[in-house]
């Protein structure tokens, strides 16, 4: 078992003929993902270099190929519209990689998601991977260890790779790893994914990587406390040394009005009984210890 | 992106949001000229810097008559203004706003922010204007009234009315407040703002509602569709090294420590700063070189980090995914072949082609300190601040 994606997921790539889209389509296919279609308006009827059929609209792609997931590599100016198009086409899971979408454009997308059955990961994220089965995104796949029992949820990109690498070095495989994105408005939160991992029998532990800005980590801590989440949870919060009022790369990573500090988040998580690593170098080791102590008790 | 109060007020004026009569002045002489042009007795001389708390810091003065205007303009112009938002170094005042003093009956607060958990913007008002709203929010949150703006819709007149009545306004004040609230939201939306605060929004003795301040932040991701806002950027308000980094598409923020860092990815860059601190050092900067860590970007990164004289060692931390570590290593080697770097460089490369990268570094002419893990890198970089090469 895994969450959200597996070897039966059928993927359509929105923006398949762009530089990024073309490159990562090839990478995802090589990993074993079933890429069944691409969408580039005006290029419908053509095929990409790997013979994947291209359609003018997502709706056309879905009716021709039964695609149930979409990945978006569309430039920021058009990305929100691409999300709305995928929702309209009834796609189950959207993964929006695009960075730099204006917040004002994301408000209606969030609303459309709330009123549909579609789940979206991102935007501004590395994507999602169920190691050994399916990769939808841009992460380096070789650092993962397939068919494992630990899930990873993260607001970051490379810091997620760091955590996965540490888990793999400890001999711990991953069930599903999700980068939820660094923007102020995102489709899927820590809580959404924790609740999926709660029901996933394959997953025994979850790594949560948060960062400054917003209150998603505090909300997750509260949820864990309220819902008897009894799997191991290890967290790290990036930005303990970040100055207030400055946007630290990610549009969402900013301490504003005294809210969203790392220390508040760490305190909430610890109060909920979650192990929080002080050092980003200790994530793998800490999860190994936590899983071990669960076994012996 | 931030703009000055006088720029915000100009935009407000054009959008039909009432603000006091006033003009910017870029010298003491100009301040006196502006005073004469305003044809009023009482004015306020306001320092224009990108930080709040200017009044407390001595940057805002009420002046009566041109002699006082000259005196206060002279005091404030060129002063190093220190407020709780400028940091200990303060900011040099190079622009003034001279505006008509208002006849204030009440001071209110109005603001618009994003509520991340609902994904909607929220319009907030408070009867406690003129003080720090964070203090109201923690001390007496019931004094802040909120209305959420539905996606694909605007702030509705009934919502604006609810807020106006909740503020205890009455009679013609209600009409003016509703009009102003609706205009503020339209402004916020049309300019892709990320934050707006009017503190104070005042009620005058003649029942007018006037924006006495304008704090506006714009969404950087949407600036491409607002050329007129881009032109308002005041580079002198920004750290020169950050402006330079920006021109190379590098994301750099200067800090006060002595360990320079160059990292790919914002989260890992923050994590690297944190681990430096954990090992007893202080990070000198945040620098995300992004997905293209080639010789050119690395060279620009070095140049910017080294422009800070406090930096005593540099830590390069790259987790190669799509970026190949051997290419990054070659980029670092090439960059250092063309520039003189006299402080220790600790380098940690993990991920795609990490072994090839380590071999390249081992054979390189420059004497790198190669680290095997994130913890090792942090320890070595902190230790190296006391060493010469």
């Amino acid at each position: 078992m895994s969450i959200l994606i597996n070897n039966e997921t059928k993927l359509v790539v929105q923006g398949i003929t762009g530089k990024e889209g073309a490159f990562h389509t090839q990478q995802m296919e090589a990993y074993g993902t079933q890429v069944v279609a691409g969408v580039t308006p005006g290029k419908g009827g053509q095929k990409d270099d790997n013979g994947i059929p291209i359609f003018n609209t997502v709706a056309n792609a879905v009716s021709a190929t039964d695609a149930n997931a979409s990945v978006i590599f569309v430039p920021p100016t058009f990305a929100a519209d691409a999300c709305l198009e995928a929702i309209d086409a009834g796609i189950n899971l959207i993964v929006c990689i695009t960075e730099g979408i204006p917040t004002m454009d994301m408000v209606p997308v969030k609303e459309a998601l709330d009123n549909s059955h579609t789940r979206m990961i991102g935007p501004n994220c590395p994507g999602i991977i169920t190691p050994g089965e399916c990769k939808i995104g841009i992460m380096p796949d070789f650092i993962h260890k397939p068919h494992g029992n630990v899930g990873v949820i993260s607001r970051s990109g490379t810091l997620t790779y760091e955590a996965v690498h540490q888990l793999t070095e400890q001999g711990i495989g991953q069930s599903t790893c999700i980068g939820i994105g660094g923007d102020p408005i995102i489709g899927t939160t820590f809580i959404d994914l924790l609740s999926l991992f709660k029901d996933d029998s394959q997953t025994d532990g979850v790594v949560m990587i948060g960062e400054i800005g917003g209150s998603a980590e505090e909300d997750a801590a509260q949820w864990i406390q309220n819902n008897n989440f009894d799997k191991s949870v290890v967290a790290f919060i990036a930005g303990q040394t970040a100055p207030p009022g400055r946007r630290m790369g990610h549009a969402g990573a900013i301490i504003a009005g005294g809210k969203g500090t790392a220390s508040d988040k760490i305190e909430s998580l610890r109060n909920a009984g979650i192990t929080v690593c002080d050092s980003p170098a200790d994530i793998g080791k800490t999860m190994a210890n936590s899983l071990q102590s669960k076994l012996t008790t | 992106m931030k703009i000055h109060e006088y720029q915000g007020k100009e935009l407000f004026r054009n959008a039909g949001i009432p603000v006091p009569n006033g003009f910017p002045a870029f010298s003491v002489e100009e301040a006196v000229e502006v005073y004469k042009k305003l044809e009023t007795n009482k004015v306020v001389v306001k320092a224009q810097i990108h930080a709040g708390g200017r009044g407390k810091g001595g940057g805002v003065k009420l002046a009566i008559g041109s002699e006082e205007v000259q005196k206060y303009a002279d005091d404030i112009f060129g002063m190093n203004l220190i407020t709780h938002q400028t940091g200990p170094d303060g900011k040099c005042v190079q622009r003034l706003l001279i505006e008509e003093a208002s006849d204030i009956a009440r001071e209110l607060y109005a603001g618009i922010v994003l509520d991340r958990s609902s994904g909607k913007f929220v319009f907030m008002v408070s009867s406690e204007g003129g003080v720090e709203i964070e203090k109201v929010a923690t001390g007496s949150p019931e004094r802040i009234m909120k209305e959420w703006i539905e996606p694909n819709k605007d702030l509705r007149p009934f919502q604006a009315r609810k807020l106006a009545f909740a503020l205890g306004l009455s009679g013609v004040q209600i009409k003016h407040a509703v009009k102003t609230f609706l205009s503020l939201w339209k402004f916020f939306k049309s300019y892709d703002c990320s934050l707006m605060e009017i503190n104070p929004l005042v009620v005058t003795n003649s029942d007018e509602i006037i924006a006495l301040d304008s704090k506006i932040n714009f969404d950087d991701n949407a600036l491409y569709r607002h050329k007129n806002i881009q032109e308002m950027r005041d580079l002198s308000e920004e750290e020169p090294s950050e402006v330079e980094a920006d021109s190379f598409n590098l994301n750099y923020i200067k800090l006060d420590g002595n360990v320079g860092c160059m990292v790919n990815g914002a989260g890992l860059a923050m994590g690297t700063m944190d681990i430096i601190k954990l090992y007893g050092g202080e990070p000198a900067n945040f620098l995300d070189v992004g997905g293209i860590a080639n010789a050119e970007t690395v060279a620009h990164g070095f140049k910017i980090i080294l422009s800070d004289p406090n930096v005593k060692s540099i830590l390069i931390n790259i987790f190669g995914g799509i970026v190949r570590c051997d290419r990054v290593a070659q980029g670092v080697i090439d960059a250092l072949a063309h520039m003189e770097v006299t402080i220790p460089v600790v380098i940690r490369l993990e991920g795609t082609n990490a072994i090839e990268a380590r071999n390249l570094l081992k054979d390189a002419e420059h004497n790198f300190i190669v680290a095997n893990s994130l913890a090792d890198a942090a320890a070595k970089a902190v230790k190296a601040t006391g060493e010469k090469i």
Side-chain angles (χ1 to χ4, degrees):
Chain A
M1 279 272 286
S2 55
I3 65 166
L4 294 168
I5 60 170
N6 55 33
N7 53 17
E8 287 170 12
T9 304
K10 289 182 176 171
L11 183 68
V12 49
V13 180
Q14 292 177 254
I16 192 168
T17 51
K19 191 172 160 244
E20 297 273 303
F23 174 76
H24 290 291
T25 298
Q26 198 191 5
Q27 298 278 314
M28 290 186 288
E29 264 218 312
Y31 193 68
T33 307
Q34 289 190 56
V35 185
V36 297
V39 171
T40 297
K43 294 194 178 169
Q46 301 178 19
K47 289 194 167 168
D48 86 339
D49 293 345
N50 302 304
I52 297 165
I54 301 173
F55 298 87
N56 286 322
T57 67
V58 180
N60 288 347
V62 168
S63 64
T65 65
D66 288 333
N68 55 9
S70 146
V71 64
I72 294 175
F73 288 103
V74 172
T77 317
F78 311 107
D81 190 55
C83 297
L84 293 171
E85 183 182 359
I87 297 166
D88 180 70
I91 290 280
N92 288 332
L93 177 75
I94 302 171
V95 179
C96 185
I97 306 297
T98 308
E99 177 179 0
I101 306 176
T103 304
M104 205 59 82
D105 296 359
M106 282 308 298
V107 173
V109 174
K110 170 89 174 150
E111 154 109 331
L113 287 167
D114 289 347
N115 294 321
S116 72
H117 72 272
T118 306
R119 171 178 300 290
M120 184 167 95
I121 309 286
N124 189 12
C125 76
I128 170 170
I129 183 167
T130 292
E133 294 196 37
C134 181
K135 155 178 160 170
I136 304 180
I138 60 173
M139 65 288 280
D141 42 60
F142 67 92
I143 58 171
H144 298 81
K145 185 172 157 63
H147 313 303
N149 60 346
V150 169
V152 178
I153 315 171
S154 170
R155 279 172 70 184
S156 160
T158 42
L159 189 53
T160 319
Y161 311 161
E162 178 72 48
V164 169
H165 172 72
Q166 288 176 25
L167 289 171
T168 300
E169 274 199 324
Q170 294 285 335
I172 302 169
Q174 301 88 40
S175 51
T176 302
C177 306
I178 310 104
I180 59 176
D183 277 1
I185 296 184
I186 51 174
T188 299
T189 63
F190 285 114
I191 293 178
D192 299 327
L193 295 169
L194 285 167
S195 96
L196 293 174
F197 277 128
K198 187 170 192 270
D199 298 331
D200 178 36
S201 57
Q202 185 190 325
T203 302
D204 295 325
V206 177
V207 171
M208 267 179 66
I209 298 173
E211 61 189 28
I212 53 162
S215 61
E217 293 82 359
E218 288 90 329
D219 297 345
Q222 192 63 52
W223 186 91
I224 285 172
Q225 231 168 356
N226 296 347
N227 288 274
N228 300 320
F229 191 84
D230 58 357
K231 306 189 178 196
S232 295
V233 182
V234 169
F236 174 75
I237 305 294
Q240 296 168 53
T241 48
R246 303 301 307 269
R247 165 181 156 165
M248 305 301 282
H250 294 153
I254 180 165
I255 299 168
K259 285 234 175 90
T261 64
S263 53
D264 283 354
K265 292 173 187 299
I266 291 169
E267 195 189 313
S268 303
L269 290 164
R270 287 197 172 138
N271 286 343
I274 296 161
T275 312
V276 184
C277 304
D278 287 322
S279 163
D282 292 343
I283 299 168
K285 209 165 46 187
T286 310
M287 180 51 88
N289 291 343
S290 177
L291 291 173
Q292 189 61 40
S293 67
K294 276 253 152 105
L295 278 181
T296 51
T297 51
Chain B
M1 192 192 121
K2 295 177 182 173
I3 58 173
H4 286 293
E5 175 193 1
Y6 77 88
Q7 295 168 320
K9 283 182 168 167
E10 243 165 66
L11 292 169
F12 275 1
R13 201 173 283 126
N14 295 335
I17 298 160
V19 291
N21 279 330
F23 299 96
F26 299 86
S27 66
V28 178
E29 297 73 42
E30 212 178 330
V32 177
E33 279 167 35
V34 166
Y35 174 75
K36 287 174 183 158
K37 196 159 78 175
L38 285 174
E39 294 182 341
T40 183
N41 189 31
K42 236 195 282 181
V43 296
V44 186
V45 180
K46 301 182 91 174
Q48 299 292 290
I49 57 167
H50 287 183
R54 291 168 295 163
K56 268 190 200 160
V60 179
K61 296 284 183 196
L62 186 70
I64 301 169
S66 67
E67 271 178 34
E68 275 194 15
V69 171
Q70 168 135 22
K71 179 186 178 300
Y72 289 130
D74 199 43
D75 287 351
I76 298 173
F77 197 84
M79 85 183 280
N80 195 45
L81 186 52
I82 300 170
T83 82
H84 68 283
Q85 287 184 1
T86 58
D89 293 341
K91 266 186 181 162
C92 178
V93 181
Q94 293 170 323
R95 302 177 187 201
L96 300 172
L97 169 63
I98 315 296
E99 69 179 17
E100 202 175 359
S102 298
D103 184 14
I104 301 169
R106 283 185 69 195
E107 291 192 315
L108 312 172
Y109 166 95
I112 307 176
V113 294
L114 177 71
D115 172 21
R116 293 194 194 196
S117 52
S118 67
K120 294 171 188 173
F121 286 100
V122 55
F123 199 110
M124 304 186 293
V125 298
S126 169
S127 52
E128 309 289 300
V131 295
E132 275 176 55
I133 199 67
E134 290 86 7
K135 286 190 182 152
V136 183
T138 45
S140 36
E142 74 285 353
R143 299 216 173 134
I144 300 178
M145 280 75 73
K146 297 175 180 173
E147 287 291 327
W148 278 261
I149 293 151
E150 286 306 312
N152 300 316
K153 298 192 176 84
D154 287 313
L155 181 74
R156 295 298 186 188
F158 81 86
Q159 293 179 299
R161 270 199 310 278
K162 272 167 83 179
L163 294 173
F165 281 107
L167 285 168
L169 300 174
S170 60
V172 69
Q173 295 171 353
I174 296 284
K175 198 181 102 193
H176 292 150
V178 167
K179 185 168 174 282
T180 300
F181 293 165
L182 295 176
S183 302
L184 284 172
W185 163 250
K186 280 207 177 110
F187 178 94
F188 188 95
K189 185 177 163 187
S190 65
Y191 280 110
D192 280 292
C193 301
S194 57
L195 173 85
M196 178 192 279
E197 283 192 297
I198 319 297
N199 195 12
L201 178 76
V202 301
V203 185
T204 66
N205 285 321
S206 47
D207 292 331
E208 301 292 327
I209 305 281
I210 298 178
L212 272 206
D213 197 6
S214 70
K215 178 182 173 185
I216 310 170
N217 292 358
F218 297 92
D219 180 354
D220 292 342
N221 290 342
L223 279 178
Y224 72 90
R225 50 193 181 202
H226 304 289
K227 288 274 182 302
N228 61 327
I229 304 297
Q230 285 179 44
E231 284 163 10
M232 290 184 176
R233 184 171 173 193
D234 178 2
L235 293 178
S236 71
E237 283 288 326
E238 299 173 34
E239 176 67 35
S241 51
E242 293 179 13
V243 175
E244 195 189 349
D246 193 38
S247 70
F248 300 127
N249 281 324
L250 294 175
N251 205 331
Y252 171 86
I253 293 172
K254 190 180 172 303
L255 303 166
D256 298 328
N258 57 4
V259 182
C261 351
M262 198 186 309
V263 188
N264 68 329
L268 190 58
M270 276 189 277
T272 304
M273 285 159 49
D274 295 344
I275 196 170
I276 287 169
K277 174 104 177 169
L278 207 62
Y279 277 81
E282 288 287 341
N285 65 278
F286 168 93
L287 174 58
D288 172 11
V289 294
I292 12 157
N294 56 28
E296 202 189 352
T297 46
V298 169
H300 289 316
F302 269 119
K303 207 170 135 235
I304 288 155
I305 291 175
L306 291 169
S307 70
D308 176 356
N310 294 331
V311 173
K312 298 288 181 266
S313 73
I314 295 178
L315 168 52
I316 301 176
N317 182 20
I318 304 286
F319 202 106
I322 307 310
V323 185
R324 283 170 41 186
C325 289
D326 52 339
R327 291 237 177 105
V328 177
Q330 195 58 53
V332 173
I333 292 165
D334 292 349
L336 288 182
H338 294 98
M339 62 196 302
E340 201 186 353
V341 175
T342 54
I343 56 172
V345 177
V346 179
I347 181 160
R348 184 261 179 157
L349 298 165
E350 195 53 77
T352 313
N353 292 9
I355 294 165
E356 291 86 337
R358 273 176 219 145
N359 290 335
L360 278 173
L361 292 173
K362 210 165 56 191
D363 299 338
E365 203 171 312
H366 192 94
N367 194 13
F368 295 104
I369 302 172
V370 179
N372 307 319
S373 71
L374 181 52
D376 186 37
K380 283 179 169 154
V382 172
K383 184 164 169 278
T385 54
E387 292 167 5
K388 289 256 179 292
I389 57 163

